[in-house]
Amino acid sequence: MTDTVAEPSAQTEPRVYRAFKALKDRRMAAMFLLSFAAGLPYGATLGLLNAWLTEVGITPATIGVLSLVSMGYAFKYLWAPIFQTPRPVAGLRQLGARRSWLLLLQIIMTGLLCVYAIVDPVANIGLVAFVALIVSLVSPTHDLILDAWRIEVARSDEDKDLMSALYQFGYKSAGFITGFFALLMADYYGWTFVFVMVAGFMVIAISGTLLAPEPASSAQPSGRRASYYPSLPPGIIRPAVLTMAASWAIALLMIVQFVIRALGDGASGRVFVQQQGPWIVALTVLVPAAISALLVFRYKGDVVETDTASRAGSRTDRLYASLFRAIFDPFMDLMQRLRWGVILVLLLALTYRFTDAVWGSFAYPFYLGENYGAIGHSLTDVGIASKFFGVIATILGSLLGAVLIATLGRMPVFFIGGIVAAVTNLLYADLAAGAAALDGFLSFTRLETPLVAFAEWAGKIQPDDITIAADQGQRLARLMLTIFAENIAGGLALVAMTAYLTSIVNPRFAAVQYALLASLTMLIGTLGRPWLGELIEQRGFYYVFIVTFWLGGVAVVLSAIEWWRQSRDPSGGKSLILEEEVS
């Protein structure tokens, strides 16, 4: 990459002015298109697919099991080291390492979206699950390469901030297509048309890869690098790598085995989460963290700049050296910088987004279903409330989060985001219980009048029968208000979480560390979905919303502790190690 240090004269310009000047760069247009490409398969698999399955009669418990295919998003850090410094794809070398992989994965995802269009989920639920599994491996791989590209092409702090904002805007715009627009099309033209349409948008988004510049750093690999590897005794390297590989392999086998059994003989999701869930978290997070801590504090591992081929005589030795550098260097860097604070960081990554991560797969069953306290709306209702008002609210929440961070600081907003994300679960609980509180609020504020007017304008409510129209309008107003509030809170919390994780990550290890922490934000919520699906069928949606509210309080307490920790350490554990290597 080019030097990231701005010219002194440029620094005298207002930050906002520098950001607007950066918008003229083709990297920004590419960022929007690439993030749009990233959001389409995610929305189609974890959103549209669940709506489709609900409409054809698949039960919440089965949807909960199928949602485990999204484990790819939670575990993408397992293969992130492969793409820290990737080789270009054969046949696409002229595009460079980052862009060639992005293009290949986008082509694969386009084909998989077309498969959704021709499969009958009732007759071929196994095939649907298999395709969703492949998407959940390809799509997060595309995301982690995109994150690395975004970090590597940024030339300044303004670039990073602007590209992060464009990433969210492009991702949410894709959500608008796979949500509001797609649900309306499904009502009129059917699901086959919808998935072909989404695949068509994916083809358009591929233009972002062709527009994007290739990062200079990926085209100029260095023969020397800083690593913890040379500072450690040779005899400790092999057992550390083998233990890490074995723990990750066992965890993945446990997940795959459960998905196969659940689709076959109906294995219990509750038992899986209660008995195997903690082991999966331990194997994928605690084991590598413990080994890294041992290497840093017991064996005094430290960063040494050395030739990448040093101490690697045989092919086996070179393999272990490469695996160690790819996997343990990022983990050990976190340990050395954060020390005991790494426990808080990992716990926050695991719990902060739990309330929305675990609930996402059951949003459509709650909105569209008739059982367990669901509220029985139509696809058009949900499209208007969730994928129109909801997307707008998420963008507004993200803007609010950015403004608050600029005025209050990162950690106060991080704390506030945890509170509002948990509290909005109570709005859903009220909706499931009959909406007494929501009706009172609507009556006091008279918000139902403009909300119902919008529904009439959208063509949902036919006011020929005044009584029926009033009832339809009230129900839709409740839904729009609840989803709007929840997405405002979610957008604010997402911006706060992104800013927090960015402050923790060392740019030198961005591909692995960001993938690790971002993946962990989905892990507990993903593991909890099968249990939650069974709980919905046993106790109903109201009970589940109360449970998720209290579980959201865990992240609030942890964020308060982390705020206190960072107040005692003004650096917040920021990277001090060889950041110039990424410039």
Side-chain angles (χ1 to χ4, degrees), residues 126-141:
L127 178 59
V128 171
F130 177 75
V131 173
L133 176 63
I134 300 302
V135 172
S136 77
L137 295 175
V138 175
S139 178
T141 303

Side-chain angles (χ1 to χ4, degrees), residues 366 373 375 426-437 478 541-543 545:
F366 177 63
I375 52 181
L426 297 179
L427 295 179
Y428 281 99
D430 181 63
L431 198 61
R478 297 168 183 166
F541 280 102
Y542 173 81
Y543 179 83
F545 288 128

Side-chain angles (χ1 to χ4, degrees), residues 26-230:
R26 68 169 179 157
R27 294 170 302 146
M28 304 305 165
M31 182 75 260
F32 171 77
L33 290 168
L34 289 170
S35 60
F36 188 74
L40 288 172
Y42 182 86
T45 300
L46 297 184
L48 279 179
L49 185 59
N50 287 335
W52 185 25
L53 295 177
T54 299
E55 192 177 62
V56 297
I58 305 299
T59 66
T62 302
I63 293 174
V65 172
L66 282 173
S67 69
L68 280 176
V69 301
S70 65
M71 278 293 180
Y73 293 94
F75 283 109
K76 63 184 178 181
Y77 64 87
L78 294 179
W79 58 90
I82 299 173
F83 297 97
Q84 185 71 31
T85 53
R87 296 178 181 274
V89 176
L92 299 172
R93 296 183 182 278
Q94 67 275 16
L95 294 177
R98 296 294 184 210
R99 292 198 301 160
S100 63
W101 275 103
L102 287 171
L103 180 60
L104 174 64
L105 296 174
Q106 287 161 5
I107 292 172
I108 293 173
M109 289 188 291
T110 301
L112 292 171
L113 290 171
C114 290
V115 173
Y116 283 146
I118 60 176
V119 175
D120 179 359
V122 176
N124 299 284
I125 190 66
L127 178 59
V128 171
F130 177 75
V131 173
L133 176 63
I134 300 302
V135 172
S136 77
L137 295 175
V138 175
S139 178
T141 303
H142 176 273
D143 291 353
L144 70 89
I145 295 173
L146 177 55
D147 285 330
W149 175 86
R150 171 171 57 87
I151 294 169
E152 290 170 355
V153 299
R155 298 170 185 159
S156 65
D157 287 340
E158 287 76 23
D159 280 357
K160 293 177 183 178
D161 293 342
L162 184 57
M163 293 179 83
S164 295
L166 287 171
Y167 185 94
Q168 292 300 324
F169 183 67
Y171 213 91
K172 299 307 177 185
S173 298
F176 188 84
I177 294 298
T178 59
F180 173 70
F181 189 64
L183 290 177
L184 289 179
M185 293 299 100
D187 243 359
Y188 291 101
Y189 301 108
W191 291 103
T192 296
F193 173 85
V194 164
F195 283 108
V196 170
M197 178 193 70
V198 174
F201 277 110
M202 191 73 190
V203 172
I204 295 173
I206 288 176
S207 61
T209 301
L210 304 178
L211 181 65
E214 179 69 10
S217 59
S218 67
Q220 299 175 357
S222 173
R224 296 181 65 80
R225 61 169 293 179
S227 174
Y228 290 85
Y229 175 78

Side-chain angles (χ1 to χ4, degrees), residues 56 153 166 214 264 298 303 325 334 357 376 383 389 398 440 488 517 538:
V56 297
V153 299
L166 287 171
E214 179 69 10
R298 169 67 176 81
V303 173
R325 290 186 173 106
L334 284 174
F389 272 86
S398 300
I488 284 280
L517 296 175
Q538 294 170 4

Side-chain angles (χ1 to χ4, degrees), residues 367-381:
Y367 299 147
L368 301 172
E370 301 286 349
N371 301 316
Y372 319 115
I375 52 181
H377 282 275
S378 69
L379 286 173
T380 304
D381 280 346

